[in-house]
Amino acid sequence: TPPTTPAHHINESKPAIIKAAARGDLEAVKRIVEAAASISMAEKNKTMNQAPIWTEIFPVENNDRSSRDGNSDNIQTTTIIQEWFDVTATTMAAIRGHHHVLQYLLEEGADPTLKGCPKDAIQNDDDDPVVADQKELHMNAFDVSKDLYKKIRSCRRSHDLLTVCKPYWRRCYYSSSNASKCKRETFTNIPLCELSQLKDTIRRVPPISQYPLKCADYDESLVDTMPTFAIVGQKRKEAMGVMNQ
């Protein structure tokens, strides 16, 4: 049954790293990550991969026609509360086309598989379905890059950065945007390789100056994927072999 009134949203404030990623402030992102890394690797991973939780609250009317006289309806209202993760700093950088911020986060081991549902994209219209039914709103950095890379020059480079990273990553049990079912208390998902190997792969992507200004001139072979993916694929097999021992 659809909600009887528009969903009501309650926000957590966005962490500083996501705000910095949104405005493309690389130096601020670096300071935040380095401060967290000085505490511990776990704190660094938590800082890079955190996402605020927002809450969707909506009443649903249930019509009960089993009254004693058989003539009246008993209408009961159930309140449903659903929590969602918003997007991470990595996904935010991809959305905004801040390829330099995205590259830094990827090189530091930020997890691009984590999905989020951006609260700012939700409309409070009566006819809107609940968020769970709007699959296109649940996105990670890989999902974002598919939609934007042919539209914006900086997003084309972001797309290539994520393309060469993808074989190093696999989704984990907390990758979902559903914060009601999926808890992100510790961030154990890491690349299937050493960070130095991941950085080597990322740095194969050309600088933004080598990307054409016009979308029509975009050459998807600008990144030489065949040698890169051969190397990445081998490293993935080696990593999986170590994990299975």
Side-chain angles (χ1 to χ4, degrees), residues 213-234:
L213 293 175
K214 295 182 179 180
C215 292
D217 298 330
Y218 177 53
D219 181 3
E220 295 192 25
S221 66
L222 186 63
V223 176
D224 188 7
T225 56
M226 293 305 293
T228 300
F229 277 111
I231 294 172
V232 173
Q234 181 59 37

Side-chain angles (χ1 to χ4, degrees), residues 115-168:
K115 284 185 176 286
C117 181
K119 160 65 178 63
D120 296 340
I122 309 302
Q123 301 296 321
N124 281 325
D125 297 331
D126 288 338
D127 295 333
D128 276 355
V130 296
V131 171
D133 295 330
Q134 302 179 49
K135 294 182 180 180
E136 70 278 5
L137 294 177
H138 302 264
M139 63 189 77
N140 59 27
F142 296 126
D143 299 325
V144 170
S145 69
K146 294 176 184 177
D147 297 329
L148 298 178
Y149 82 100
K150 290 186 177 180
K151 300 178 181 179
I152 306 171
R153 182 191 189 199
S154 58
C155 288
R156 293 197 290 268
R157 185 167 190 269
S158 296
H159 171 266
D160 288 343
L161 289 167
L162 288 159
T163 297
V164 300
C165 282
K166 194 168 186 177
Y168 280 112

Side-chain angles (χ1 to χ4, degrees), residues 199-220:
K199 289 180 180 180
D200 287 344
T201 300
I202 291 171
R203 291 173 183 177
R204 292 172 177 266
V205 177
I208 191 66
S209 59
Q210 294 186 27
Y211 283 74
L213 293 175
K214 295 182 179 180
C215 292
D217 298 330
Y218 177 53
D219 181 3
E220 295 192 25

Side-chain angles (χ1 to χ4, degrees), residues 37-234:
S38 68
I39 299 173
S40 67
M41 182 59 67
E43 186 65 23
K44 176 186 175 183
N45 288 336
K46 178 181 177 181
T47 298
M48 291 193 299
N49 296 316
Q50 64 185 314
I53 294 174
W54 61 275
T55 306
E56 183 179 33
I57 303 175
F58 52 92
V60 176
E61 288 186 356
N62 298 316
N63 293 331
D64 182 6
R65 300 181 181 274
S66 61
S67 57
R68 292 182 179 178
D69 57 12
N71 296 320
S72 62
D73 293 342
N74 293 325
I75 299 177
Q76 298 179 343
T77 300
T78 301
T79 299
I80 297 178
I81 299 176
Q82 175 67 60
E83 290 185 324
W84 303 104
F85 288 111
D86 208 312
V87 296
T88 64
T90 304
T91 303
M92 179 62 76
I95 290 172
R96 296 294 179 90
H98 298 315
H99 60 93
H100 54 307
V101 175
L102 177 64
Q103 178 170 350
Y104 171 77
L105 289 169
L106 292 173
E107 288 183 356
E108 291 299 313
D111 187 349
T113 72
L114 300 178
K115 284 185 176 286
C117 181
K119 160 65 178 63
D120 296 340
I122 309 302
Q123 301 296 321
N124 281 325
D125 297 331
D126 288 338
D127 295 333
D128 276 355
V130 296
V131 171
D133 295 330
Q134 302 179 49
K135 294 182 180 180
E136 70 278 5
L137 294 177
H138 302 264
M139 63 189 77
N140 59 27
F142 296 126
D143 299 325
V144 170
S145 69
K146 294 176 184 177
D147 297 329
L148 298 178
Y149 82 100
K150 290 186 177 180
K151 300 178 181 179
I152 306 171
R153 182 191 189 199
S154 58
C155 288
R156 293 197 290 268
R157 185 167 190 269
S158 296
H159 171 266
D160 288 343
L161 289 167
L162 288 159
T163 297
V164 300
C165 282
K166 194 168 186 177
Y168 280 112
W169 287 95
R170 60 181 179 179
R171 290 187 62 188
C172 66
Y173 67 92
Y174 58 82
S175 293
S176 168
S177 58
N178 189 337
S180 295
K181 295 182 178 179
C182 167
K183 304 303 179 184
R184 295 179 184 174
E185 297 172 351
T186 58
F187 295 86
T188 55
N189 195 30
I190 59 175
L192 297 173
C193 63
E194 297 293 332
L195 274 184
S196 59
Q197 298 169 349
L198 182 61
K199 289 180 180 180
D200 287 344
T201 300
I202 291 171
R203 291 173 183 177
R204 292 172 177 266
V205 177
I208 191 66
S209 59
Q210 294 186 27
Y211 283 74
L213 293 175
K214 295 182 179 180
C215 292
D217 298 330
Y218 177 53
D219 181 3
E220 295 192 25
S221 66
L222 186 63
V223 176
D224 188 7
T225 56
M226 293 305 293
T228 300
F229 277 111
I231 294 172
V232 173
Q234 181 59 37

